[in-house]
């Protein structure tokens, strides 16, 4: 497992969504844990990888873990999170969007907010900082990775791709809410979430023109995003990330295999870098220091 150095922390609040969907979770049960956030990746729970990356991100000042039972998550191998003063657990409400809406801008989670998920163990401070830089100046933003970027690094990776006029894109499980008016995006999300099986609800929010152009691939990512933002009265932005790993969350065993492979490569690279630095330090290296 890679250990990032702790940053002093900036003005952003990070929210990690670590709750469980209703019903049994066969994925986590297969790995002998009670929650998906606790599935081990390269020897450590997924949630721990995400928290360490956020703690090492210069822009992040505090972290809020949203879960049905955060106390049950932040113990055992994650007890260091319970002891970390910059991390706080909070019980979720009904549904992801409503949980975010309840805390956004309140004392535990002042704006600006970065929202991510506990199943994003490949998150790095570099990804976080690039996303925050791209979100600056918007009311709300979301991260996206283009298919060419992702498959250049990991050919054949299985993702859900949205096909638009300027490329195929997948989400990066990163969202920014920068000011009180950005809660409109969360509230729209909540309404869609309640009726996610009804196509007319999506049509109401996007409008027939946007939806038709998206389906026929005659609109770009930026234009579709901007139009969707105008529909709900905010400046909404898509932040294109140049990191293939930002597109990978762990939803199934094949994702877990890929994530562990990538973390192994990172650890080997860090070890080689460390050895190279030690070799250049002369007597200290010869003395084993």
């Amino acid at each position: 497992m890679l250990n990032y150095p702790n940053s002093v922390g900036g003005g952003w609040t990070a929210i990690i969504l670590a709750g469980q969907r209703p019903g049994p979770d066969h994925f986590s049960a297969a790995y002998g844990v009670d929650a998906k956030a606790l599935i081990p990746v390269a020897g450590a729970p997924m949630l721990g990888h995400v928290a360490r990356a956020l703690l090492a991100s210069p822009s992040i000042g505090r972290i809020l873990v949203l879960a049905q039972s955060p106390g049950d998550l932040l113990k055992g191998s994650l007890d260091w999170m319970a002891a970390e003063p910059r991390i706080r657990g909070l019980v979720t409400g009904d549904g992801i969007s409503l949980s975010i809406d309840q805390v956004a801008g309140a004392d535990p989670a002042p704006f600006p907010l970065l929202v991510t998920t506990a199943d994003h163990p490949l998150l790095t401070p570099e990804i976080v900082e690039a996303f925050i830089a791209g979100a600056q100046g918007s009311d709300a933003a979301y991260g996206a990775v283009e298919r060419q970027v992702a498959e250049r690094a990991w050919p054949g990776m299985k993702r859900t791709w949205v096909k638009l006029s300027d490329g195929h894109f997948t989400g990066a499980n990163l969202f920014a809410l920068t000011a009180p008016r950005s809660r409109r995006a969360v509230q729209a999300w909540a309404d869609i979430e309640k009726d996610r099986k009804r196509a007319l609800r999506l049509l109401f929010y996007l409008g027939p023109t946007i939806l038709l152009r998206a389906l026929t691939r005659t609109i770009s990512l930026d234009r579709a995003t901007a139009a969707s933002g105008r529909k709900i009265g905010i400046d909404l932005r898509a932040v294109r990330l140049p990191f293939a790993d930002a597109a990978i969350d762990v939803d199934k065993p094949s994702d877990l295999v890929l994530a562990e492979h990538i973390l192994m490569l990172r650890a080997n690279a860090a070890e080689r870098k460390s050895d190279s630095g030690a070799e250049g330090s002369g007597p200290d290296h010869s003395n084993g220091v």
Side-chain angles (χ1 to χ4, degrees):
M1 176 180 177
L2 294 175
N3 288 316
Y4 300 110
N6 268 22
S7 168
V8 174
W12 283 69
T13 301
I15 294 177
I16 305 176
L17 303 176
Q20 292 283 95
R21 295 185 182 278
D25 185 341
H26 300 295
F27 189 27
S28 57
Y31 292 92
V33 293
D34 296 327
K36 182 182 176 185
L38 299 178
I39 291 176
V41 182
M46 288 198 286
L47 175 58
H49 287 284
V50 177
R52 289 189 186 278
L54 292 169
L55 286 171
S57 301
S59 297
I60 302 299
R62 62 198 64 79
I63 299 171
L64 196 63
V65 179
L66 292 186
Q68 284 90 348
S69 301
D72 292 337
L73 293 180
L74 307 186
K75 63 182 184 180
S77 62
L78 292 180
D79 58 1
W80 64 268
M81 289 181 61
E84 167 59 54
R86 292 169 56 196
I87 296 177
R88 175 179 174 181
L90 197 66
V91 176
T92 60
D94 294 329
I96 295 172
S97 53
L98 288 176
S99 298
I100 297 171
D101 191 39
Q102 288 170 1
V103 301
D107 287 343
F111 293 110
L113 299 174
L114 178 144
V115 181
T116 190
T117 56
D119 61 358
H120 203 346
L122 299 179
L123 191 66
T124 65
E126 292 76 18
I127 294 173
V128 171
E129 293 301 312
F131 175 69
I132 287 176
Q136 298 284 3
S138 68
D139 294 322
Y142 64 93
V145 179
E146 192 170 2
R147 187 170 189 167
Q148 289 183 346
V149 171
E151 293 192 338
R152 188 179 302 126
W154 311 115
M157 65 182 295
K158 303 297 183 183
R159 296 290 102 187
T160 298
W161 304 102
V162 176
K163 300 175 183 180
L164 299 172
S165 66
D166 55 341
H168 300 177
F169 300 90
T170 191
N173 281 14
L174 288 168
F175 309 91
L177 305 170
T178 66
R181 65 185 291 174
S182 63
R183 293 181 63 213
R184 296 177 188 174
V186 182
Q187 290 159 359
W189 181 9
D191 287 343
I192 293 172
E193 193 176 43
K194 283 188 296 187
D195 291 311
R196 60 184 178 272
K197 293 184 180 179
R198 293 171 57 187
L200 287 178
R201 175 66 69 175
L202 181 62
L203 186 63
F204 173 79
Y205 276 101
L206 295 183
T209 302
I210 301 172
L211 190 59
L212 179 61
R213 291 192 64 188
L215 291 173
T216 57
R217 305 180 200 174
T218 57
I219 192 169
S220 69
L221 177 68
D222 292 339
R223 287 183 178 275
T225 300
S228 298
R230 287 194 298 271
K231 188 72 178 178
I232 56 178
I234 64 169
D235 176 13
L236 179 63
R237 184 180 303 169
V239 179
R240 303 181 191 216
L241 295 167
F243 306 97
D245 295 358
I248 302 171
D249 54 11
V250 177
D251 279 329
K252 52 187 180 296
S254 60
D255 296 333
L256 181 57
V257 171
L258 178 57
E260 291 196 315
H261 173 67
I262 293 170
L263 288 174
M264 180 189 69
L265 293 177
R266 288 184 189 175
N268 290 342
E271 185 177 353
R272 287 195 301 271
K273 183 177 179 180
S274 176
D275 289 345
S276 177
E279 289 172 3
S281 63
D284 285 342
H285 174 69
S286 64
N287 291 326
V289 178

